[in-house]
Amino acid sequence: QQQVKQSPQSLIVQKGGIPIINCAYENTAFDYFPWYQQFPGKGPALLIAIRPDVSEKKEGRFTISFNKSAKQFSLHIMDSQPGDSATYFCAASYRSGGYQKVTFGTGTKLQVIP
Amino acid sequence: DAMVIQNPRYQVTQFGKPVTLSCSQTLNHNVMYWYQQKSSQAPKLLFHYYDKDFNNEADTPDNFQSRRPNTSFCFLDIRSPGLGDAAMYLCATSGDLNTEAFFGQGTRLTVV
């Protein structure tokens, strides 16, 4: 029930395309859904996050869509650029005993070709 | 500007030789986490500190220990590294009012 399922495992798009990464969860205790971007050899960095009372959040070229009833959320990258090539992790978390218990998805390796 | 700093960035250790990885933070967050990330996999939580309270994940091997001498520093000790412990080790922090975790750059551990 703690699992967060992420797809696809890898994705190749052309510059300007709109890659979409999907995640699904089971545990209704999750109340915070961040997306992390990780470049090779670096730690994950928070990209954008959403709470379940909002159906969509947009920051720059990055948009999260959230479907609470389906327990699914997705990341869209508008006008993708080669610099967006990275691994993207969705995550889901809830507060437990004073800390955020975070469950990560399995990651999507995105390649944006010029 | 670095807020979560891990040292060293790369560590090579011999099979069975104890090794310590360090993490420091300038955010004054009360929670610090250690994650293990193997190639092409998601980060896996090993344990975390809430202030001085240590919380071990159920499936974290006894070979992994941690120390947090003060708010700013946290150490990961691997008592007898095996070849299977080669991975990226990530330190992260979060605060009482934060929902997000801030990650360091990681330490890439190689076991030879």
Side-chain angles (χ1 to χ4, degrees):
Chain A
Q1 209 186 18
Q2 291 296 325
Q3 212 174 7
V4 176
K5 296 181 181 177
Q6 183 172 348
S7 63
Q9 191 174 1
S10 63
L11 192 51
I12 301 174
V13 299
Q14 286 202 309
K15 178 182 172 182
I18 306 176
I20 300 173
I21 304 170
N22 300 298
C23 287
Y25 65 98
E26 289 295 324
N27 189 349
T28 54
F30 290 134
D31 61 4
Y32 183 69
F33 300 87
W35 285 87
Y36 286 89
Q37 180 188 55
Q38 186 176 29
F39 293 104
K42 306 285 188 180
L46 180 70
L47 191 62
I48 186 173
I50 198 168
R51 290 200 176 274
D53 53 350
V54 176
S55 61
E56 185 175 280
K57 183 174 181 180
K58 185 176 180 180
E59 287 184 4
R61 295 184 293 108
F62 300 92
T63 300
I64 301 178
S65 298
F66 191 87
N67 186 330
K68 187 176 180 179
S69 60
K71 290 186 275 189
Q72 295 174 348
F73 57 111
S74 60
L75 177 70
H76 301 203
I77 306 175
M78 306 302 176
D79 187 28
S80 58
Q81 301 296 313
D84 296 329
S85 298
T87 299
Y88 292 81
F89 292 96
C90 65
S93 71
Y94 63 91
R95 187 163 284 274
S96 171
Y99 83 104
Q100 285 295 122
K101 188 165 177 66
V102 182
T103 300
F104 284 89
T106 48
T108 297
K109 188 171 183 179
L110 171 66
Q111 185 179 357
V112 181
I113 54 178
Chain B
D1 275 315
M3 297 179 288
V4 183
I5 304 161
Q6 291 188 242
N7 284 302
R9 291 293 314 280
Y10 302 92
Q11 176 73 57
V12 180
T13 190
Q14 289 182 329
F15 182 94
K17 185 175 180 181
V19 66
T20 295
L21 311 181
S22 73
C23 177
S24 64
Q25 55 136 336
T26 59
L27 298 163
N28 204 34
H29 284 167
N30 53 358
V31 188
M32 293 187 78
Y33 311 79
W34 279 105
Y35 287 84
Q36 179 193 63
Q37 186 178 27
K38 295 191 175 180
S39 183
S40 302
Q41 295 184 20
K44 178 182 179 298
L45 183 64
L46 296 173
F47 27 61
H48 77 276
Y49 276 93
Y50 182 77
D51 292 327
K52 292 189 175 182
D53 292 333
F54 177 72
N55 298 271
N56 206 25
E57 292 298 299
D59 57 353
T60 298
D62 292 341
N63 199 26
F64 293 89
Q65 303 287 321
S66 185
R67 296 170 283 134
R68 188 179 186 186
N70 54 52
T71 300
S72 301
F73 285 87
C74 196
F75 300 97
L76 171 62
D77 301 307
I78 308 176
R79 294 194 294 189
S80 180
L83 297 178
D85 297 328
M88 174 80 89
Y89 289 88
L90 297 164
C91 174
T93 72
S94 66
D96 269 338
L97 300 180
N98 298 116
T99 44
E100 64 196 76
F102 293 84
F103 284 84
Q105 297 278 49
T107 294
R108 169 74 64 189
L109 178 69
T110 300
V111 182
V112 298

